[in-house]
């Protein structure tokens, strides 16, 4: 029996947000370099007949530039207006509805310029539409990207779904259509735009497109030399104006640093700006580290009120984020409590008025959340039990990586992998600044150097290794991720690929810089053959700096390195084994 496979490549797709947000021109690659598709037959889905074709050949061909090349618009005139774009995409066999996608249009009289019109393919150019009354006309076949070293360009165009068959498996594909030279949107009195022609019809009447069906057409990117789909397309019907106010940290404001432990057990450092009548918070959520929101000071400085619907930023380059006031029922289900009621916080101060802590108001049934949709509730982060406290120092020795394991090369993967977790806490309990935290990988005892390079993986495939690391380094920032071979997965585990053979041992160590001082955690080393893990001490730890609360055990060794259970007279080495995985030693003399 044939399987129907719903490809995750572009696919009207909004999910690979983090990768898409960082994609540059060189990364929008040609999906299939060659064109012609053989029609193998037809198949019927929900009463509608689709062609079954072979996907275009992967063989390179010499192409001649087609005539449909328009000037690429890199800078558009006019005033920028933000919109939320209603997107229907396909993935894992079911249509997916995505809303609040961050879109912008520059309006210049009756001309409109759509920036990065296809979701998840931010290539940095505009397409132009023209207003006629209450309609907006968007011509197809506009050029959006020129491959300088190739004989083709990328255009937008109208595409129709087909199915492709490879080795008996059926996948969704899209083919170029010349049925329409342009698409038309209607503009209503509120400024919203809705696709009118071609009508966004689906294969099954009576079903919401967010749950069922295939569209008649999509707008996508294709290669102008052979009209082959480039792998990115959207079905979008509605652009709603986004008019929420953007919050920014005032210039020259007095700031302090506060910390809290989030729901994932990670320590977070928050910048708090202070004025006479308000506080401004930056960095509350790891999902939106640059988001800033405002809290009004009320009741003589003892409470704060955070108004909902503050526009605080864009998540992953795709979704507008706003503050929301949220409530939770007895089953733990959250929903919008009010579109105009604040979320409240309690402020603790010392006798001088200095803020010591800020916590969610326990007497209020509502709390603050970051919501990545201004019209529906899709919480990105919530702060039900938020408790911010002042931490005077961020010094400390980073905790030793934990949960480490190694996976050798297999025929499924083109690399060897080391997996591990890193803590945002120092061994002394301080939350450390992860912007100054790094990890270092050791292969066969030597630091491993990372650099973006074109190479061959262990499967013999040509790939770009360590994308995003432009200069050679053996220190990888805690905050860096390229979502390919250096990243942190959804479970909080760091994934590092090593395109190397002959690995006997692999290790990882955390490195932290604070006030010009470098400190290192214990070094975790895994023996590839046996799987045995060893931890050796880091650097920067002094006996007088440690707390006995951090000491897990104490061992004694003679001068020959032999462990002894009860030191007698003479000189011995006293070793403190710490909860962080580090160990600290000093010599002791017993009479």
């Amino acid at each position: 029996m044939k399987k129907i496979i719903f490809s995750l490549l572009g696919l009207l797709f909004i999910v690979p947000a983090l990768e898409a947000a960082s994609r540059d021109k060189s990364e929008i690659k040609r999906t299939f370099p060659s064109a012609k598709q053989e029609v193998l037959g037809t198949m019927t889905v929900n009463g509608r007949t689709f062609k079954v074709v072979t996907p275009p050949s992967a063989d390179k061909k010499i192409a001649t530039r087609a005539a449909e090349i328009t000037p690429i618009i890199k800078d558009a005139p006019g005033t920028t207006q933000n919109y939320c774009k209603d997107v229907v995409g396909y993935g894992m066999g079911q249509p997916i509805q995505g809303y609040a996608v961050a879109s912008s249009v520059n309006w210049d009289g009756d001309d409109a310029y759509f920036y990065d019109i296809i979701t998840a393919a931010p290539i940095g150019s505009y397409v132009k539409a023209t207003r006629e009354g209450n309609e907006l006309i968007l011509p197809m076949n506009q050029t959006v990207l020129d491959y300088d070293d190739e004989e083709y360009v990328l255009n937008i165009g109208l595409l129709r779904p087909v199915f492709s068959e490879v080795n008996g498996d059926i996948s969704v594909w899209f083919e170029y259509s010349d049925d329409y030279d342009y698409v038309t949107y209607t503009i209503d009195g509120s400024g919203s735009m809705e696709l009118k022609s071609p009508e966004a019809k689906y294969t099954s009447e009576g079903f919401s497109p967010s749950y069922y069906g295939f569209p008649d057409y999509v707008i996508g990117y294709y290669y102008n030399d052979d009209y082959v789909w480039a792998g990115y397309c959207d079905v979008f019907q509605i652009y709603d104006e986004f008019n929420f106010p953007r919050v920014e940290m005032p210039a020259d404001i007095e700031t302090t640093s506060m910390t809290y432990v989030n729901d994932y057990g990670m320590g977070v450092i928050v910048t708090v700006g202070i004025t006479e009548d308000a506080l401004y918070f930056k960095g509350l959520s790891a999902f939106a580290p640059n988001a800033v929101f405002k809290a009004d000071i009320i009741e003589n400085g003892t409470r704060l009120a955070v108004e909902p619907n503050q526009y605080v930023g864009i998540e992953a380059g795709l979704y507008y984020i706003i503050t929301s006031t949220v409530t939770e029922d007895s089953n733990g289900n959250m929903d919008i409590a009010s579109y105009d009621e604040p979320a409240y916080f309690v402020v603790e101060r010392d006798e001088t008025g200095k803020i010591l802590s800020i916590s969610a108001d326990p007497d209020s049934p509502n709390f603050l959340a970051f919501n990545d949709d201004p019209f529906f509730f899709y919480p990105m982060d919530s702060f039900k039990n938020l408790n911010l406290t002042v931490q005077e120092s961020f010094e400390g020795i980073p905790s030793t990586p934990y949960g480490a394991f190694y996976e050798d090369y297999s025929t499924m993967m083109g690399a060897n992998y080391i997996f591990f977790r890193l803590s945002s806490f120092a061994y002394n309990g301080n939350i450390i600044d992860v912007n100054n935290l790094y990890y270092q990988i050791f292969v066969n005892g030597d630091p491993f150097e990372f650099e973006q390079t074109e190479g061959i993986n262990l499967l013999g495939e040509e790939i770009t290794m360590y994308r995003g690391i432009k200069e050679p380094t053996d220190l990888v920032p805690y905050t860096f991720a390229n979502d390919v071979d250096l990243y942190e997965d959804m479970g909080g585990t760091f994934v590092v690929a090593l395109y190397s053979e002959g690995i006997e041992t692999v290790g990882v160590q955390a490195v932290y810089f604070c006030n010009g001082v470098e400190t290192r955690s214990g070094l975790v080393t895994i023996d590839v053959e046996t799987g045995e893990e060893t931890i050796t001490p880091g650097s920067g730890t002094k006996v007088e700096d440690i707390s006995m609360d951090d000491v897990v055990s104490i061992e004694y060794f003679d001068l020959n390195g032999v462990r002894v259970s009860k030191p007698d007279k003479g000189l011995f080495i006293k070793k403190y084994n710490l909860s962080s995985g580090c160990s600290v030693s000093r010599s002791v003399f017993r009479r």
Side-chain angles (χ1 to χ4, degrees):
M1 181 178 294
K2 295 178 180 179
K3 296 182 293 182
I4 297 181
I5 301 175
F6 293 82
S7 169
L8 299 184
L9 176 64
L11 281 192
L12 344 172
F13 207 36
I14 62 175
V15 174
L18 291 177
E19 179 183 358
S22 63
R23 184 179 290 117
D24 58 30
K25 171 181 173 178
S26 64
E27 294 178 280
I28 304 291
K29 293 298 184 184
R30 187 176 174 84
T31 308
F32 290 94
S34 183
K36 302 304 180 182
Q37 298 164 276
E38 177 187 1
V39 178
L40 302 178
T42 61
M43 64 182 297
T44 302
V45 178
N46 299 327
R48 184 167 159 216
T49 300
F50 292 87
K51 290 188 293 184
V52 177
V53 302
T54 58
S57 169
D59 296 329
K60 187 72 174 178
K61 70 181 180 67
I62 303 296
T64 302
R65 269 185 199 272
E68 296 85 353
I69 299 175
T70 61
I72 298 175
I73 306 172
K74 286 291 187 178
D75 297 298
T79 302
T80 300
Q81 171 66 53
N82 291 330
Y83 288 87
C84 295
K85 184 169 68 177
D86 182 9
V87 176
V88 179
Y90 289 86
M92 302 305 291
Q94 293 294 327
I96 301 169
Q97 178 124 15
Y99 202 66
V101 176
S103 300
S104 64
V105 177
N106 282 19
W107 288 93
D108 183 28
D110 286 335
D111 292 332
Y113 298 85
F114 291 77
Y115 184 70
D116 282 338
I117 192 168
I118 304 299
T119 303
I123 58 179
S125 61
Y126 296 81
V127 294
K128 182 181 178 180
T130 302
R131 183 169 184 165
E132 296 180 3
N134 68 338
E135 293 187 345
L136 194 66
I137 311 301
L138 175 64
M140 295 290 95
N141 307 316
Q142 297 184 57
T143 301
V144 295
L145 181 62
D146 189 353
Y147 291 87
D148 297 330
D149 56 346
E150 302 287 352
E151 290 297 329
Y152 50 81
V153 300
L154 206 63
N155 287 353
I156 64 163
L158 214 58
L159 307 169
R160 300 197 67 164
V162 296
F163 290 93
S164 63
E165 181 176 343
V166 180
N167 299 326
D169 293 335
I170 303 295
S171 300
V172 179
W173 190 252
F174 291 90
E175 66 176 2
Y176 175 82
S177 171
D178 58 4
D179 291 347
Y180 293 82
D181 293 328
Y182 55 86
V183 298
T184 304
Y185 294 88
T186 56
I187 305 174
D188 65 19
S190 68
S192 294
M193 298 175 287
E194 182 172 359
L195 187 63
K196 173 187 176 182
S197 175
E199 183 182 357
K201 293 193 302 182
Y202 288 78
T203 61
S204 182
E205 297 294 334
F207 287 91
S208 167
S210 61
Y211 296 102
Y212 203 76
F214 288 98
D216 280 353
Y217 297 96
V218 301
I219 297 175
Y221 290 147
Y222 69 91
Y223 298 101
N224 78 314
D225 62 337
D226 53 19
Y227 295 90
V228 169
W229 177 44
Y232 301 93
C233 52
D234 286 343
V235 179
F236 46 87
Q237 299 89 51
I238 300 173
Y239 281 80
D240 285 325
E241 282 192 289
F242 184 88
N243 295 315
F244 296 99
R246 179 66 181 262
V247 181
E248 296 181 352
M249 188 80 74
D252 302 322
I253 190 174
E254 177 189 352
T255 62
T256 187
S257 294
M258 303 187 75
T259 62
Y260 80 101
V261 180
N262 66 18
D263 291 340
Y264 304 97
M266 299 297 291
V268 181
I269 300 174
V270 182
T271 299
V272 181
I274 305 171
T275 66
E276 185 176 340
D277 56 2
L279 298 182
Y280 293 80
F281 295 83
K282 181 179 181 180
L284 193 68
S285 171
F287 294 99
N290 295 316
V292 176
F293 66 93
K294 177 185 177 183
D296 296 314
I297 298 174
I298 60 175
E299 298 182 11
N300 297 319
T302 62
R303 297 181 78 208
L304 302 175
V306 180
E307 297 290 343
N309 300 323
Q310 298 181 50
Y311 168 34
V312 298
I314 297 178
E315 177 194 1
L318 289 176
Y319 303 102
Y320 291 122
I321 310 167
I322 61 171
T323 57
S324 293
T325 304
V326 178
T327 189
E328 186 177 61
D329 64 20
S330 58
N331 295 320
N333 299 314
M334 294 187 295
D335 203 351
I336 297 289
S338 172
Y339 284 97
D340 54 12
E341 181 180 346
Y344 294 101
F345 293 85
V346 176
V347 181
E348 180 189 3
R349 300 175 183 266
D350 65 14
E351 62 277 2
T352 67
K354 179 182 178 181
I355 295 176
L356 299 177
S357 69
I358 299 172
S359 56
D361 189 345
D363 296 326
S364 173
N366 304 330
F367 54 93
L368 174 69
F370 281 177
N371 187 15
D372 65 7
D373 191 308
F375 306 108
F376 302 97
F377 184 53
Y378 295 116
M380 183 191 67
D381 213 344
S382 60
F383 309 98
K384 180 181 179 182
N385 300 309
L386 182 68
N387 184 27
L388 289 164
T389 58
V390 174
Q391 180 176 301
E392 299 295 340
S393 171
F394 297 96
E395 295 180 346
I397 298 167
S399 297
T400 296
Y402 62 101
F405 65 97
Y406 172 80
E407 183 175 302
D408 205 359
Y409 156 78
S410 70
T411 55
M412 292 292 293
M413 308 296 290
N416 309 299
Y417 285 86
I418 180 173
F419 304 84
F420 56 89
R421 290 177 175 244
L422 294 175
S423 173
S424 56
F425 293 89
Y427 83 95
N428 62 4
N430 273 355
I431 292 173
I432 59 178
D433 185 355
V434 295
N435 292 307
N436 297 318
L437 182 62
Y438 299 76
Y439 61 84
Q440 188 171 35
I441 302 298
F442 292 82
V443 173
N444 298 336
D446 296 321
F448 187 86
E449 189 172 86
F450 296 91
E451 181 184 12
Q452 178 173 315
T453 183
E454 302 297 324
I456 308 295
N457 68 9
L458 299 181
L459 295 177
E461 301 166 331
E462 295 183 3
I463 63 167
T464 301
M465 302 175 183
Y466 309 124
R467 187 183 302 277
I469 298 184
K470 303 299 185 181
E471 299 293 334
T473 182
D474 57 10
L475 293 176
V476 181
Y478 175 97
T479 54
F480 176 81
N482 63 13
D483 301 310
V484 179
D485 46 22
L486 294 170
Y487 62 96
E488 183 181 2
D489 68 17
M490 293 299 291
T493 296
F494 284 79
V495 181
V496 178
L498 302 169
Y499 305 96
S500 303
E501 296 180 292
I503 297 179
E504 298 177 359
T505 64
V506 61
V508 58
Q509 184 176 46
V511 184
Y512 182 53
F513 297 90
C514 183
N515 297 329
V517 177
E518 173 189 317
T519 54
R520 290 174 172 263
S521 72
L523 169 61
V524 179
T525 303
I526 301 171
D527 186 293
V528 170
E529 183 176 353
T530 65
E532 181 181 356
E533 180 182 297
T534 59
I535 300 176
T536 53
S539 63
T541 311
K542 297 181 180 179
V543 172
E544 54 267 31
D545 292 337
I546 69 173
S547 166
M548 292 307 295
D549 292 337
D550 299 314
V551 177
V552 176
S553 62
I554 298 177
E555 299 174 292
Y556 293 89
F557 298 84
D558 63 21
L559 297 183
N560 294 318
V562 178
R563 187 167 61 184
V564 294
S565 57
K566 291 184 178 181
D568 199 355
K569 295 180 181 181
L571 187 63
F572 295 85
I573 302 298
K574 187 176 183 179
K575 181 180 179 183
Y576 298 82
N577 296 309
L578 308 180
S579 58
S580 66
C582 293
S583 62
V584 183
S585 301
R586 72 172 182 180
S587 59
V588 295
F589 183 79
R590 293 207 169 183
R591 297 181 182 277

